Amino acid sequence: MTNTPVPYGEVHGPPLGEMSRRTFMRRMVGVGVAIVSLEFLAGTLAFLWPNVRSGLGGLIPVGTPDQIAANEPDWVTGLPYAFQPARIFLVNVPAAKSLVENPENPESVPDPGTNVGPNVPPVDASVLALYRKCPHLGCQIPQLCDQSEWFECLCHGSKYTVLGEKRDGPAPRGMDRFHVTVNDDGAYVADTSELIDGPPIGTDTFDSRGPTDMQHCTG
C-alpha cells in the first residue's frame, strides 16, 4: 500500500520572525504613550521642584559688595542686582528701603553688611536673594518698576514690594527667596538648595503703600 503525502495548505499569518502590521502599530502606540508619560513626569518634577535644575540646587557665589557695585552701580542706592546664574534679585536692604522712602535722593550704602542667615527677619537682613520666578504662574519678574519702586510681573500684574511682600494681583504669596551666607572672601552666596516660600498675603513689614497710591509699570 502506497502512502500518498498530504500536501500542506496555505500557512496564514506573517512568516516566522516577521511582525504583523497590527503588532507593529500596537508597539508604536505603546512607545508613544511611554514617551508622553515621561515628558509629563519630567514636567511635573520641574514644576514641583523648580530650584534643582539648570545649574541651581547648590551654593552660588554672587560677589562681594564691591564686585556687585562694579556690575550694577545703582545697587548701592537701592536698585536690586539681577544675578541670572542664580535667577535672583540680590536686594541691598538698607539702600532699597531708602530708595522707597526717598526716591529722588536715596542713601548710598556701598556695603550693607553681613547680617544674613535663616534666623534673620527679611526686613532686618543686610541683603535678600529674591527668586525671579513669579509665584503665580512662573513668569520671570522684571527689574524694579521706576514709578512704584515695586516688582511688577508683566504676565498677570502681581505686584511686590522691594522686599518681596505681595501687594496686588493674583499671586498666592510674596516672592520666594533663598538663604544667603557670606563666604571667607566676603562674597554673598545664595543657597539655592532650598527654596523658601514667600511671605503670606497680608505681610507688611515695610512699605505699606497700596496699589492706588502710585503710578505703575503694569496695569
Side-chain angles (χ1 to χ4, degrees), residues 5-216:
V6 178
Y8 289 105
E10 181 181 354
V11 178
H12 298 281
L16 186 64
E18 294 187 12
M19 185 185 302
S20 69
R21 178 177 300 177
R22 178 175 297 177
T23 301
F24 174 78
M25 293 303 296
R26 284 176 178 173
R27 292 188 180 182
M28 290 305 297
V29 169
V31 170
V33 170
I35 292 174
V36 171
S37 299
L38 287 174
E39 290 179 347
F40 176 78
L41 179 61
T44 300
L45 289 175
F47 177 78
L48 295 177
W49 198 2
N51 53 318
V52 186
R53 53 187 168 83
S54 302
L56 298 183
L59 300 175
I60 302 182
V62 181
T64 65
D66 287 343
Q67 291 169 338
I68 295 171
N71 291 327
E72 178 52 80
D74 289 335
W75 185 74
V76 303
T77 53
L79 187 71
Y81 176 45
F83 186 66
Q84 190 58 28
R87 302 181 188 175
I88 62 170
F89 285 117
L90 191 75
V91 180
N92 179 338
V93 173
K97 289 181 179 179
S98 178
L99 176 64
V100 172
E101 294 170 342
N102 188 12
E104 298 302 323
N105 188 28
E107 178 185 0
S108 178
V109 185
D111 186 349
T114 58
N115 189 31
V116 295
N119 297 322
V120 179
V123 70
D124 297 327
S126 297
V127 298
L128 292 177
L130 300 179
Y131 192 31
R132 294 189 65 179
K133 183 177 179 179
C134 182
H136 179 221
L137 292 178
C139 294
Q140 179 168 278
I141 297 174
Q143 182 58 278
L144 207 67
C145 171
D146 59 2
Q147 298 182 56
S148 63
E149 310 304 346
W150 281 359
F151 294 110
E152 303 187 2
C153 183
L154 300 178
C155 291
H156 304 99
S158 292
K159 298 176 176 62
Y160 314 88
T161 70
V162 73
L163 301 187
E165 297 173 357
K166 185 203 166 183
R167 289 293 181 267
D168 195 25
R173 61 183 181 276
M175 293 172 67
D176 299 331
R177 58 190 174 88
F178 297 115
H179 288 312
V180 178
T181 58
V182 179
N183 66 16
D184 293 339
D185 296 325
Y188 296 117
V189 179
D191 182 0
T192 65
S193 65
E194 181 182 4
L195 187 64
I196 310 302
D197 281 347
I201 294 173
T203 301
D204 187 358
T205 62
F206 174 75
D207 189 1
S208 59
R209 295 176 298 160
T212 61
D213 293 336
M214 78 289 280
Q215 297 295 316
H216 295 280

